[in-house]
Amino acid sequence: MTANKMWGGRFETGPAAIMREITPSIDFDKRLAGEDLAGSRAHVRMLAQEGIVAKEDASAILKGLDQVEREITDGAFVFKRELEDIHLNIEARLAEIVGPAAGRLHTARSRNDQVVTDFRLWVRGACERADKGLLELSRALLTQAETHVASIMPGYTHMQPAQPVTFGHHLMAYVEMFARDRGRFEDARKRLNESPLGAAALAGTSFPIDRDVTAKTLGFARPMRNSMDAISARDFALEYLAACAIAAVNLSRLAGELVQWSTPAFGFVKLSDAFTTGSSIMPQKRNPDAAELIRGKTGRVLGDFIALATVVKGLVLTYGTDLQEDKERVFDAADTLEISLAAMAAMVADLTADTARMRAAAEPGFPTATDLADWVVRVLKKPFREAHHIAGSIVKRAEEKGVTLDKLPLAEMQAIEPAITDKVLDVLSLEASVHSRMSLGGTAPDRVKEQIHFWKEKLK
């Protein structure tokens, strides 16, 4: 096999067959075609502006790039593995279209700064897509929360019934969580939004280029200030993957609750046929496959972060072909997160809550015991530790009688604490408990309405 003419006369013989398999990245980096074309257009326009390339050559190159883009869009472009990557594939086709002038496009540029520019552009777009997906999910949660502002359900600690809350309040916790995820993608986007184009191989270039122009053209905030850092840095990809990993973990928590809530043992929600499947042998089954897949895919995204961190951790400055391993991990995490967000948003919008089952599940376990202790502190002026002991003793008596706290006869409570009056009954129902939690961020319906109003305005 003859040497690859795109990277020239240094080698007299072609690579071995194994190298032909291990070296190409075109199978996955062809996803960077749009970014590569954008970077090339910005670069050649700047070269013409600075008089480094003749305007007629730049015009021919730009027209050729337009044709390449049309061919890729129409599916007519032939990606060749022997040309290794998206950059050489586009450059080779450009040469076929416009002739020798195509070679001027690579003036004052290296594949090193070219690829990392493409990659930063792609990850910037991925941050924006993740933000959009999280926004749609948050809006779906808001809609359900608004419907269930006062729908009572058990709140748990240690998976034991703890205190009654509302379903709306529970869902709003995820709105807060996913807002932080959006913030992480926003932060990652801001930090990565610097242009490496013009760093060339690693040391910059002797041509009088204007890096501010190309940065502005490509929507970057500024050029990167150190050419070696520009070529070698992949922390922008790691930060994006870290944001993906945390978002996937948060999605997994919600998915796990949907799996749990949709079981017959809970019966809190019903997922429609669109997001469940049956069993090949058990006709009664309704399996929450979409939620389970979202929960399971978390491992992929976490693995993508670990894989790239492992690649980067031992690399000296600046470029090593190891960095070719960065894109598949990022592409995989992006694909996984984006489909998971879309599925979760649709599933949340589609679910039906069984409010009667939720309320019934909130009754066992004496969830208003804390309300009883708080009443003893507030009305009888007892220290909380003493009140805690009194409430615990009353809970034990109710358990012996097989009744809930609000159904325990007043005389039974007074046998434990004589100062208790019938006014205590005002705080022992589930509704009273929920409505009393008026502290900022609490589960009282009025407070939940405040949270919903805040986020509806913020997410417009």
Side-chain angles (χ1 to χ4, degrees), residues 7-118:
W7 46 269
R10 169 65 179 84
F11 299 94
E12 294 182 359
T13 60
I18 190 66
M19 287 299 291
R20 292 199 299 271
E21 292 301 315
I22 197 173
T23 303
S25 59
I26 187 60
D27 294 340
F28 54 85
D29 70 16
K30 61 187 177 184
R31 293 179 64 160
L32 297 175
E35 289 76 14
D36 199 70
L37 290 164
S40 290
R41 288 184 178 114
H43 184 64
V44 76
R45 287 190 177 110
M46 180 275 296
L47 292 177
Q49 176 182 304
E50 300 302 313
I52 300 169
V53 167
K55 284 185 168 54
E56 56 270 25
D57 285 340
S59 179
I61 289 169
L62 287 168
K63 289 179 181 177
L65 291 172
D66 287 345
Q67 181 174 331
V68 170
E69 183 173 40
R70 287 193 297 272
E71 291 176 1
I72 292 173
T73 300
D74 295 341
F77 190 92
V78 178
F79 296 98
K80 299 176 181 178
R81 295 191 87 242
E82 62 268 24
L83 294 176
E84 296 184 2
D85 56 33
I86 187 61
H87 324 296
L88 295 185
N89 268 266
I90 289 176
E91 187 176 337
R93 179 60 183 140
L94 184 66
E96 292 173 353
I97 296 168
V98 306
R104 300 191 184 281
L105 174 59
H106 211 53
T107 306
R109 185 176 73 170
S110 163
R111 273 198 294 176
N112 290 356
D113 63 334
Q114 185 179 0
V115 65
V116 74
T117 299
D118 294 356

Side-chain angles (χ1 to χ4, degrees), residues 104-239:
R104 300 191 184 281
L105 174 59
H106 211 53
T107 306
R109 185 176 73 170
S110 163
R111 273 198 294 176
N112 290 356
D113 63 334
Q114 185 179 0
V115 65
V116 74
T117 299
D118 294 356
F119 199 26
R120 280 181 181 262
L121 288 171
W122 196 94
V123 175
R124 187 175 72 188
C127 287
E128 293 163 1
R129 293 192 300 275
D131 180 78
K132 183 179 179 181
L134 286 161
L135 176 61
E136 291 305 311
L137 173 54
S138 297
R139 286 173 173 163
L141 288 163
L142 273 172
T143 299
Q144 288 284 6
E146 196 165 23
T147 301
H148 295 287
V149 165
S151 300
I152 293 174
M153 68 176 292
Y156 298 92
T157 63
H158 308 278
M159 271 307 295
Q160 303 295 316
Q163 291 178 302
V165 296
T166 71
F167 189 42
H169 188 55
H170 194 122
L171 295 176
M172 290 305 297
Y174 283 104
V175 174
E176 298 281 342
M177 199 180 296
F178 293 131
R180 292 192 294 275
D181 286 323
R182 292 185 69 202
R184 278 182 276 272
F185 285 109
E186 181 182 2
D187 289 345
R189 188 196 184 284
K190 285 179 182 177
R191 263 186 289 279
L192 72 81
N193 200 35
E194 296 183 338
S195 175
L197 190 58
L202 78 158
T205 177
S206 59
F207 289 95
I209 63 173
D210 189 333
R211 294 188 62 212
D212 287 300
V213 166
T214 52
K216 182 178 180 181
T217 300
L218 293 170
F220 288 113
R222 64 192 68 84
M224 296 182 73
R225 287 182 291 271
N226 183 285
S227 62
M228 296 181 74
D229 179 50
I231 295 305
S232 63
R234 291 299 184 276
D235 51 359
F236 71 92
L238 284 172
E239 186 169 11

Side-chain angles (χ1 to χ4, degrees), residues 179-353:
R180 292 192 294 275
D181 286 323
R182 292 185 69 202
R184 278 182 276 272
F185 285 109
E186 181 182 2
D187 289 345
R189 188 196 184 284
K190 285 179 182 177
R191 263 186 289 279
L192 72 81
N193 200 35
E194 296 183 338
S195 175
L197 190 58
L202 78 158
T205 177
S206 59
F207 289 95
I209 63 173
D210 189 333
R211 294 188 62 212
D212 287 300
V213 166
T214 52
K216 182 178 180 181
T217 300
L218 293 170
F220 288 113
R222 64 192 68 84
M224 296 182 73
R225 287 182 291 271
N226 183 285
S227 62
M228 296 181 74
D229 179 50
I231 295 305
S232 63
R234 291 299 184 276
D235 51 359
F236 71 92
L238 284 172
E239 186 169 11
Y240 167 73
L241 287 176
C244 286
I246 296 171
V249 167
N250 288 338
L251 276 175
S252 182
R253 297 182 73 180
L254 177 53
E257 294 214 282
L258 291 177
V259 170
Q260 177 177 281
W261 291 342
S262 64
T263 61
F266 280 79
F268 291 178
V269 302
K270 181 179 180 180
L271 304 176
S272 74
D273 292 347
F275 299 101
T276 58
T277 63
S279 165
S280 63
I281 190 172
M282 295 169 284
Q284 82 282 8
K285 295 293 291 299
R286 180 189 287 269
N287 300 323
D289 281 12
E292 290 174 340
L293 285 168
I294 291 169
R295 186 173 60 180
K297 287 179 183 295
T298 305
R300 290 179 65 125
V301 182
L302 291 170
D304 289 329
F305 173 81
I306 293 297
L308 183 55
T310 304
V311 168
V312 174
K313 73 173 183 63
L315 294 186
V316 297
L317 301 185
T318 54
Y319 185 80
T321 309
D322 316 51
L323 291 174
Q324 188 167 294
E325 291 294 307
D326 56 4
K327 295 162 205 66
E328 285 184 285
R329 303 282 62 81
V330 168
F331 293 160
D332 181 71
D335 291 345
T336 303
L337 181 66
E338 288 167 25
I339 191 65
S340 296
L341 285 170
M344 183 61 82
M347 192 161 37
V348 167
D350 190 59
L351 68 81
T352 302

Side-chain angles (χ1 to χ4, degrees), residues 369-391 417 420 424 427:
T370 304
D371 300 272
L372 172 57
D374 288 346
W375 186 89
V376 171
V377 170
R378 188 169 56 250
V379 177
L380 303 186
K381 310 302 182 186
K382 302 281 189 182
F384 184 79
R385 288 302 172 198
E386 183 179 345
H388 185 282
H389 180 76
I390 292 168
E417 173 49 61
I420 289 178
V424 75
V427 303

